[in-house]
Amino acid sequence: MSKAFASQGDLTEKRITFDEIGEGLYAFTAEGDPNSGVIIGDESVMIVEAQATPRLAQKVIDKVRDVTDKPISHLVLTHYHAVRVLGASAYGAGQTIMSETARAMVAERGQEDWDSEFQRFPRLFEGHESIPGLTWPTTTFSDRMTVYLGNRRVDIMHLGRAHTAGDAVIFVQDQNVMFTGDIVEYHSACYCGDGHFGDWGSTLDAIRAYDVDAIAPGRGDALQGRDMVNRAIENTRDFVSSTYRPAARVAARGGTLKEAWDAVRAACDPKFSDYAIYEHCLPFNVARAYDEARGIDTPRIWTAERDLEMWTALQG
């Protein structure tokens, strides 16, 4: 484990794509970097996921301006992670929406998450000096809320814990399209360091029950057509369960974190080693799986110091 920690060595710019996944609906993707979504209403635009900095958010705005000159009125943040929310100020949206749980997590651990993510993945914080501070919502919801962009109805829902405790999904009924954040990924590793393994599968079931025609996932290509959608949901399920089960077996017999790491690698490397950010996510995923298997329901807060402590333990 002499390689650079997390994604400190990942300095390669990614190719951006901007796919229409329904009428007036777009997925901004970048080869495994964080995705954003665009929902164009009658008179204004909703953005899903802000990117990590205002400078990176401008890349989303530039793509939006290629297809519409309508103002950006709403920004929806599916969870609290720094790489998703800290670019929010660039959009000038009148409403910034999170679940109530996600807002509570900003208050509890937002600064620590920012500090640790900046250390893990410096490339994603291009222009970090322009971040004005933590991103706070103007509007929150508990289970669901509806926004009307003119006649276009947008349902924003919390379907269950998965990637975090406060994940939101966004459903546009008129096109049968969903934006799932990091609950669903495509050919990209799930980051499970703040996740809930025991709930993730049932949350995927809730998404699958909508039987949507397209999904903009948290990372990876836009999912178009029900075959691709369902394949991505099941691949995500396999990734999560394949991570948790070996770690849980080690924890049950009183084994160490390093033993859990070795067991998860043995199970996951053959299936997922070519996934985007796989090596980045794996240490955090193993640590969280090991904790959850030992009865720690609420993920421990990641700090730059805890990152280093965990990394050192895995090298033993």
Side-chain angles (χ1 to χ4, degrees):
M1 300 187 59
S2 58
K3 61 182 176 58
F5 172 65
S7 290
Q8 290 176 352
D10 181 354
L11 304 176
T12 305
E13 286 296 315
K14 307 302 182 183
R15 179 178 59 87
I16 292 171
T17 58
F18 194 63
D19 296 319
E20 188 169 22
I21 58 175
E23 184 178 348
L25 307 176
Y26 294 86
F28 175 100
T29 68
E31 297 185 295
D33 277 0
N35 293 343
S36 290
V38 176
I39 302 170
I40 301 176
D42 294 333
E43 297 180 351
S44 67
V45 177
M46 174 183 286
I47 303 293
V48 179
E49 310 288 41
Q51 300 285 315
T53 69
R55 183 182 299 176
L56 292 173
Q58 188 61 48
K59 297 183 179 183
V60 179
I61 295 169
D62 290 345
K63 291 295 185 182
V64 171
R65 293 296 163 239
D66 287 341
V67 296
T68 183
D69 61 359
K70 295 174 183 178
I72 296 169
S73 58
H74 296 76
L75 172 64
V76 181
L77 303 171
T78 66
H79 59 286
Y80 74 97
H81 283 155
V83 294
R84 298 293 181 181
V85 306
L86 293 181
S89 62
Y91 298 97
Q95 284 197 57
T96 299
I97 301 167
M98 284 182 181
S99 72
E100 187 63 35
T101 300
R103 187 194 185 282
M105 297 180 86
V106 174
E108 177 190 48
R109 59 185 68 198
Q111 186 63 53
E112 291 85 351
D113 179 74
W114 179 358
D115 294 342
S116 64
E117 288 199 53
F118 182 82
Q119 173 182 263
R120 298 175 190 181
F121 214 147
R123 178 176 59 77
L124 289 184
F125 288 87
E126 174 189 328
H128 62 88
E129 65 280 355
S130 64
I131 300 170
L134 292 174
T135 296
W136 296 95
T138 61
T139 305
T140 62
F141 67 97
S142 295
D143 297 318
R144 64 168 55 225
M145 66 177 289
T146 298
V147 172
Y148 286 92
L149 300 174
N151 289 318
R152 168 158 272 177
R153 174 174 173 159
V154 181
D155 293 315
I156 306 166
M157 305 170 288
H158 173 66
L159 298 180
R161 303 191 302 182
H163 176 69
T164 72
D167 296 330
V169 302
I170 298 88
F171 178 57
V172 183
Q173 185 174 6
D174 66 81
Q175 294 294 299
N176 199 32
V177 169
M178 187 174 281
F179 300 79
T180 64
D182 287 315
I183 302 173
V184 178
E185 312 286 28
Y186 182 70
H187 211 77
S188 179
C190 300
Y191 175 73
C192 309
D194 300 297
H196 294 269
F197 288 93
D199 294 348
W200 205 314
S202 60
T203 303
L204 289 172
D205 290 340
I207 290 172
R208 183 155 186 167
Y210 276 80
D211 199 21
V212 295
D213 293 312
I215 280 178
R219 293 178 186 264
D221 295 345
L223 310 173
Q224 301 190 66
R226 294 185 184 184
D227 287 347
M228 191 176 186
V229 164
N230 290 333
R231 187 164 63 250
I233 290 172
E234 295 313 309
N235 284 350
T236 300
R237 189 192 310 276
D238 186 28
F239 185 95
V240 171
S241 62
S242 295
T243 301
Y244 182 70
R245 285 196 305 264
R249 286 194 293 267
V250 171
R253 61 174 172 78
T256 66
L257 178 62
K258 178 60 167 62
E259 289 171 331
W261 162 264
D262 292 337
V264 173
R265 292 218 73 133
C268 289
D269 283 5
K271 294 191 284 188
F272 308 118
S273 61
D274 64 336
Y275 277 28
I277 66 167
Y278 175 72
E279 293 290 344
H280 170 108
C281 292
L282 196 62
F284 308 101
N285 293 357
V286 173
R288 173 56 192 153
Y290 184 72
D291 275 358
E292 184 170 320
R294 294 183 300 145
I296 300 174
D297 181 68
T298 300
R300 291 189 287 152
I301 297 173
W302 289 102
T303 63
E305 293 75 22
R306 185 182 168 212
D307 283 0
L308 179 59
E309 177 186 328
M310 177 270 297
W311 188 247
T312 302
L314 294 180
Q315 295 183 80

